[in-house]
Amino acid sequence: MPKSEFAPAKINLTLEILGRRADGYHELRSLVAFAHDAGDVVTLAPGSSASVETSGSFAGDISGSNLVDKAISAFAAKVPGMKPPRLILDKNLPVASGIGGGSADAAATLRLLSKSYPGIADRDLHTIARALGADVPVCVRARPVIMTGVGETLEEIALPQEVYAVLVNPLIAVPSNKTAHVFAALGAAPLTAPPEAEPAPRLSNVRDVIAYAKARGNDLQAPAQKLFPEIETVLAELHRTEGALFAQLSGAGPTCFALFATKQEAVAGASALRQRQPNWWIRPTRLG
């Protein structure tokens, strides 16, 4: 029987860019959550294959070598003699969308392969994940965290059970190096001193989550809107959607999210938004 691993969308509920480090990377602080039912699926099928098979709505948008291929190669380096696995990627998330699709796929691949090779310890997975990209370690864990450093330091945090969101992507064309363009447009100042550690916030209900997100914001939202003006349209549509309590950009975009108090309001909001914008990618989901 084939084995499958869900690769949930990663949502940056906040994203603070604290400064540019001497090594060129950016120091950040982010409250990260994951979608319960919006994501890709990676399946390990019988047999062997030199390349990943793709299916799903956005399979055609994948070009060249992707993070799944790199994850396989990095994992195989830990397992001498490992045959190339036959992996099938069901691509349901838009590509380069600010919700960690490629990173989530790579992370799901690592989790899936580790079940077949239980001798690979968690510390090895974390090491492999860090080498693949800043968002891969948090996607390996796939649980709510406060993410700091350049993405390698993860502090688990409890989110309320009832946090519902609508994810929206306008399906505009973006360059493969979109994030680099957004960071360049931000022009973060050099980091002059290590940031002070902060206690994790206590988030008892969706109102607490919204208050924290409003206070921290997403520092990439303004530069991303300059590069991709459609983001402003998406946010305006979310703000005018009945039941939406808060809306913001996730990551470097262009996917945005709105938070709702109940599942019913999120589903109704997504339905109303689809009627106004039938060509957008719109998904209601619970976050956790």
Side-chain angles (χ1 to χ4, degrees), residues 210-230:
I210 290 169
Y212 183 81
K214 280 184 176 179
R216 302 302 177 118
N218 180 347
D219 289 336
L220 296 185
Q221 183 167 303
Q225 283 184 195
K226 290 180 181 178
L227 294 172
F228 311 109
E230 294 88 349

Side-chain angles (χ1 to χ4, degrees), residues 22-42:
D23 60 10
Y25 292 100
H26 289 81
E27 191 81 14
L28 58 85
R29 182 185 296 116
S30 178
L31 170 58
V32 179
F34 291 85
H36 276 250
D37 52 5
D40 299 331
V41 178
V42 181

Side-chain angles (χ1 to χ4, degrees), residues 37-270:
D37 52 5
D40 299 331
V41 178
V42 181
T43 300
L44 179 61
S48 179
S49 178
S51 60
V52 177
E53 300 172 32
T54 56
S55 61
S57 304
F58 296 99
D61 294 339
I62 301 173
S63 59
S65 177
N66 58 58
L67 274 179
V68 172
D69 294 312
K70 293 177 181 177
I72 295 170
S73 296
F75 190 92
K78 297 279 186 177
V79 186
M82 183 182 114
K83 292 183 179 180
R86 183 184 171 210
L87 284 182
I88 302 167
L89 171 61
D90 188 20
K91 191 66 184 166
N92 304 308
L93 299 177
V95 174
S97 57
I99 50 177
S103 296
D105 298 340
T109 298
L110 293 178
R111 292 196 303 271
L112 194 57
L113 292 176
S114 70
K115 293 176 182 178
S116 298
Y117 298 90
I120 301 298
D122 286 345
R123 65 177 181 275
D124 296 313
L125 280 191
H126 189 74
T127 300
I128 296 170
R130 284 186 62 180
L132 292 173
D135 277 343
V136 182
V138 70
C139 290
V140 167
R141 191 166 298 194
R143 293 191 293 273
V145 299
I146 296 291
M147 180 171 67
T148 54
V150 296
E152 80 284 4
T153 303
L154 308 173
E155 179 182 2
E156 289 199 18
I157 185 171
L159 273 190
Q161 285 292 314
E162 304 294 313
V163 179
Y164 295 96
V166 172
L167 312 180
V168 180
N169 187 293
L171 298 180
I172 58 175
V174 296
S176 58
N177 59 346
K178 167 210 66 185
T179 301
H181 284 290
V182 174
F183 270 104
L186 173 66
L191 190 69
T192 56
E196 294 184 8
E198 290 188 2
R202 297 183 64 181
L203 307 171
S204 301
N205 52 55
V206 68
R207 300 285 178 180
D208 290 344
V209 176
I210 290 169
Y212 183 81
K214 280 184 176 179
R216 302 302 177 118
N218 180 347
D219 289 336
L220 296 185
Q221 183 167 303
Q225 283 184 195
K226 290 180 181 178
L227 294 172
F228 311 109
E230 294 88 349
I231 291 171
E232 188 172 355
T233 302
V234 173
L235 290 170
E237 285 282 9
L238 285 171
H239 281 123
R240 66 184 283 246
T241 298
E242 185 174 356
L245 302 173
F246 172 74
Q248 191 163 269
L249 184 73
S250 177
T255 302
C256 301
F257 66 89
L259 298 182
F260 293 76
T262 67
K263 178 180 179 180
Q264 292 77 10
E265 288 175 307
V267 171

